[in-house]
Amino acid sequence: MTTTNTTTIRNGIDTAQVYGTLDALRTQPELARFEFRATNRWIGGTHSRSTIQGLWGAGQEDTSRDAPFEVDASEPPVLFGDNEAPNPAEFVLHALAGCLTLTIVNVAAARSVTLTEVSSTLEGVLDARGATGVDETRRNGFEAVRVSLSIKGDASPAKLREIVERAKARSVVYDIIANPVAIELQAEVG
Amino acid sequence: MTTTNTTTIRNGIDTAQVYGTLDALRTQPELARFEFRATNRWIGGTHSRSTIQGLWGAGQEDTSRDAPFEVDASEPPVLFGDNEAPNPAEFVLHALAGCLTLTIVNVAAARSVTLTEVSSTLEGVLDARGATGVDETRRNGFEAVRVSLSIKGDASPAKLREIVERAKARSVVYDIIANPVAIELQAEVG
């Protein structure tokens, strides 16, 4: 009798679960619809708080979170706030960083690469004459975002680069920032 | 002698500071450059942590934050994580909510409207066949984002709607999501 000591966990990702999910998405495309949500409430000045808990995914309402996450946003004094929290543009960078990192980790796990480090530094540059309306020819948002990634693991530099390229091509938030997303906004006033 | 008891604070925003800033941006456009930053480090599995502290703005390095903000990101179990934090797509919704809210509050303050409530619910829908690579014809990111805003204050419904419309047209994160942003990604591997 041969005992094979295998584990499906790599980089903290259960690759058996990943492959099972991919198979399920191929045969039951209705499982692919995900709906993420946040509710936000103004606290005062530039300060607000988002509550994040429920989501829809894999064909059902996800109830895995016992308690809601609460995340604040505000501005530094130079942008009329009191540094109660990072500002919304910084949260965009955080979202991009977190998404690239976890996508790299997933891709590496699927390709049997064990990682020892993924770190990144992100910068987003904007011209405040856009958002303030001082110059209508400027855009409000980032003119550009720069990402400097560092990734280490038990694979050749070429394979690690391939993993980064695949993650860039598959990242949810990279796509949201790099490409247009339709936003429908409804307001109840009174 | 007449004593006028005026305050320039409305909705928690110092409108005198806002007008001073707009004047400065008109006469010294070099003050308009802002650079926001985040650094991120992989912790394990889908879990990573961003550190946010310094920024460049108004012609100098901003040192108003004594300590860095730390914000985590991860995934629920259905997306191979353990709910250590909201996921990156949810942080995009948080960033949009926080930005719309503070832009509304700023616009209202500038228009002498005192607000009593700004709240919002956001939903972002995506098809996971995109990001997983199961269906190359699907995009990775949100197919659409829906924002339901509620705003109350001492102005007519028409004026409140006008404030929402102006904020939508001036929001930094709305622009980043609705329109393309160039992302430059460099990777150091090894």
PDB file of all heavy atoms in Angstrom, chain A residues 8-20:
ATOM      1  N   THR A   8      -3.966  19.893  -1.019  1.00  0.00           N
ATOM      2  CA  THR A   8      -4.422  20.729  -2.127  1.00  0.00           C
ATOM      3  C   THR A   8      -4.255  22.211  -1.785  1.00  0.00           C
ATOM      4  O   THR A   8      -4.650  23.065  -2.541  1.00  0.00           O
ATOM      5  CB  THR A   8      -5.898  20.435  -2.460  1.00  0.00           C
ATOM      6  OG1 THR A   8      -6.710  20.802  -1.338  1.00  0.00           O
ATOM      7  CG2 THR A   8      -6.081  18.965  -2.785  1.00  0.00           C
ATOM      8  N   ILE A   9      -3.666  22.497  -0.608  1.00  0.00           N
ATOM      9  CA  ILE A   9      -3.483  23.896  -0.196  1.00  0.00           C
ATOM     10  C   ILE A   9      -2.125  24.405  -0.686  1.00  0.00           C
ATOM     11  O   ILE A   9      -1.094  23.808  -0.380  1.00  0.00           O
ATOM     12  CB  ILE A   9      -3.527  24.051   1.343  1.00  0.00           C
ATOM     13  CG1 ILE A   9      -4.770  23.366   1.949  1.00  0.00           C
ATOM     14  CG2 ILE A   9      -3.444  25.523   1.734  1.00  0.00           C
ATOM     15  CD1 ILE A   9      -6.052  24.101   1.790  1.00  0.00           C
ATOM     16  N   ARG A  10      -2.150  25.476  -1.444  1.00  0.00           N
ATOM     17  CA  ARG A  10      -0.888  26.111  -1.837  1.00  0.00           C
ATOM     18  C   ARG A  10      -1.073  27.622  -1.763  1.00  0.00           C
ATOM     19  O   ARG A  10      -2.080  28.155  -2.241  1.00  0.00           O
ATOM     20  CB  ARG A  10      -0.485  25.694  -3.251  1.00  0.00           C
ATOM     21  CG  ARG A  10       0.914  26.224  -3.633  1.00  0.00           C
ATOM     22  CD  ARG A  10       1.363  25.764  -5.000  1.00  0.00           C
ATOM     23  NE  ARG A  10       1.607  24.320  -5.036  1.00  0.00           N
ATOM     24  CZ  ARG A  10       0.859  23.446  -5.707  1.00  0.00           C
ATOM     25  NH1 ARG A  10      -0.166  23.875  -6.418  1.00  0.00           N
ATOM     26  NH2 ARG A  10       1.151  22.170  -5.677  1.00  0.00           N
ATOM     27  N   ASN A  11      -0.121  28.295  -1.164  1.00  0.00           N
ATOM     28  CA  ASN A  11      -0.206  29.755  -0.942  1.00  0.00           C
ATOM     29  C   ASN A  11      -1.443  30.131  -0.107  1.00  0.00           C
ATOM     30  O   ASN A  11      -1.953  31.244  -0.202  1.00  0.00           O
ATOM     31  CB  ASN A  11      -0.247  30.523  -2.265  1.00  0.00           C
ATOM     32  CG  ASN A  11       0.961  30.272  -3.136  1.00  0.00           C
ATOM     33  OD1 ASN A  11       2.069  30.072  -2.618  1.00  0.00           O
ATOM     34  ND2 ASN A  11       0.767  30.264  -4.438  1.00  0.00           N
ATOM     35  N   GLY A  12      -1.931  29.170   0.680  1.00  0.00           N
ATOM     36  CA  GLY A  12      -3.133  29.430   1.467  1.00  0.00           C
ATOM     37  C   GLY A  12      -4.417  29.303   0.667  1.00  0.00           C
ATOM     38  O   GLY A  12      -5.505  29.610   1.165  1.00  0.00           O
ATOM     39  N   ILE A  13      -4.312  28.839  -0.565  1.00  0.00           N
ATOM     40  CA  ILE A  13      -5.473  28.663  -1.443  1.00  0.00           C
ATOM     41  C   ILE A  13      -5.732  27.168  -1.610  1.00  0.00           C
ATOM     42  O   ILE A  13      -4.803  26.409  -1.908  1.00  0.00           O
ATOM     43  CB  ILE A  13      -5.201  29.286  -2.841  1.00  0.00           C
ATOM     44  CG1 ILE A  13      -4.857  30.775  -2.742  1.00  0.00           C
ATOM     45  CG2 ILE A  13      -6.370  29.032  -3.799  1.00  0.00           C
ATOM     46  CD1 ILE A  13      -5.987  31.656  -2.298  1.00  0.00           C
ATOM     47  N   ASP A  14      -6.972  26.764  -1.443  1.00  0.00           N
ATOM     48  CA  ASP A  14      -7.342  25.369  -1.653  1.00  0.00           C
ATOM     49  C   ASP A  14      -7.556  25.153  -3.151  1.00  0.00           C
ATOM     50  O   ASP A  14      -8.611  25.459  -3.698  1.00  0.00           O
ATOM     51  CB  ASP A  14      -8.612  25.045  -0.859  1.00  0.00           C
ATOM     52  CG  ASP A  14      -8.994  23.570  -0.963  1.00  0.00           C
ATOM     53  OD1 ASP A  14      -8.514  22.887  -1.888  1.00  0.00           O
ATOM     54  OD2 ASP A  14      -9.770  23.114  -0.115  1.00  0.00           O
ATOM     55  N   THR A  15      -6.533  24.610  -3.801  1.00  0.00           N
ATOM     56  CA  THR A  15      -6.601  24.490  -5.262  1.00  0.00           C
ATOM     57  C   THR A  15      -7.691  23.511  -5.696  1.00  0.00           C
ATOM     58  O   THR A  15      -8.266  23.664  -6.772  1.00  0.00           O
ATOM     59  CB  THR A  15      -5.239  24.057  -5.838  1.00  0.00           C
ATOM     60  OG1 THR A  15      -4.822  22.855  -5.181  1.00  0.00           O
ATOM     61  CG2 THR A  15      -4.187  25.133  -5.633  1.00  0.00           C
ATOM     62  N   ALA A  16      -8.003  22.527  -4.856  1.00  0.00           N
ATOM     63  CA  ALA A  16      -9.103  21.607  -5.202  1.00  0.00           C
ATOM     64  C   ALA A  16     -10.420  22.388  -5.272  1.00  0.00           C
ATOM     65  O   ALA A  16     -11.242  22.175  -6.163  1.00  0.00           O
ATOM     66  CB  ALA A  16      -9.196  20.493  -4.167  1.00  0.00           C
ATOM     67  N   GLN A  17     -10.601  23.306  -4.329  1.00  0.00           N
ATOM     68  CA  GLN A  17     -11.815  24.144  -4.350  1.00  0.00           C
ATOM     69  C   GLN A  17     -11.832  25.029  -5.601  1.00  0.00           C
ATOM     70  O   GLN A  17     -12.870  25.209  -6.241  1.00  0.00           O
ATOM     71  CB  GLN A  17     -11.883  25.022  -3.078  1.00  0.00           C
ATOM     72  CG  GLN A  17     -13.201  25.784  -2.965  1.00  0.00           C
ATOM     73  CD  GLN A  17     -13.135  27.017  -2.056  1.00  0.00           C
ATOM     74  OE1 GLN A  17     -12.159  27.213  -1.322  1.00  0.00           O
ATOM     75  NE2 GLN A  17     -14.166  27.842  -2.109  1.00  0.00           N
ATOM     76  N   VAL A  18     -10.654  25.562  -5.951  1.00  0.00           N
ATOM     77  CA  VAL A  18     -10.572  26.420  -7.141  1.00  0.00           C
ATOM     78  C   VAL A  18     -10.967  25.623  -8.387  1.00  0.00           C
ATOM     79  O   VAL A  18     -11.817  26.062  -9.173  1.00  0.00           O
ATOM     80  CB  VAL A  18      -9.154  27.008  -7.313  1.00  0.00           C
ATOM     81  CG1 VAL A  18      -9.031  27.749  -8.649  1.00  0.00           C
ATOM     82  CG2 VAL A  18      -8.808  27.945  -6.147  1.00  0.00           C
ATOM     83  N   TYR A  19     -10.391  24.428  -8.540  1.00  0.00           N
ATOM     84  CA  TYR A  19     -10.704  23.638  -9.744  1.00  0.00           C
ATOM     85  C   TYR A  19     -12.165  23.203  -9.750  1.00  0.00           C
ATOM     86  O   TYR A  19     -12.820  23.190 -10.803  1.00  0.00           O
ATOM     87  CB  TYR A  19      -9.760  22.446  -9.867  1.00  0.00           C
ATOM     88  CG  TYR A  19      -8.364  22.876 -10.257  1.00  0.00           C
ATOM     89  CD1 TYR A  19      -7.264  22.613  -9.453  1.00  0.00           C
ATOM     90  CD2 TYR A  19      -8.154  23.592 -11.438  1.00  0.00           C
ATOM     91  CE1 TYR A  19      -5.986  23.035  -9.809  1.00  0.00           C
ATOM     92  CE2 TYR A  19      -6.884  24.018 -11.802  1.00  0.00           C
ATOM     93  CZ  TYR A  19      -5.801  23.737 -10.981  1.00  0.00           C
ATOM     94  OH  TYR A  19      -4.553  24.164 -11.344  1.00  0.00           O
ATOM     95  N   GLY A  20     -12.699  22.873  -8.578  1.00  0.00           N
ATOM     96  CA  GLY A  20     -14.120  22.507  -8.489  1.00  0.00           C
ATOM     97  C   GLY A  20     -15.003  23.669  -8.903  1.00  0.00           C
ATOM     98  O   GLY A  20     -16.013  23.505  -9.606  1.00  0.00           O
TER      99      GLY A  20
END
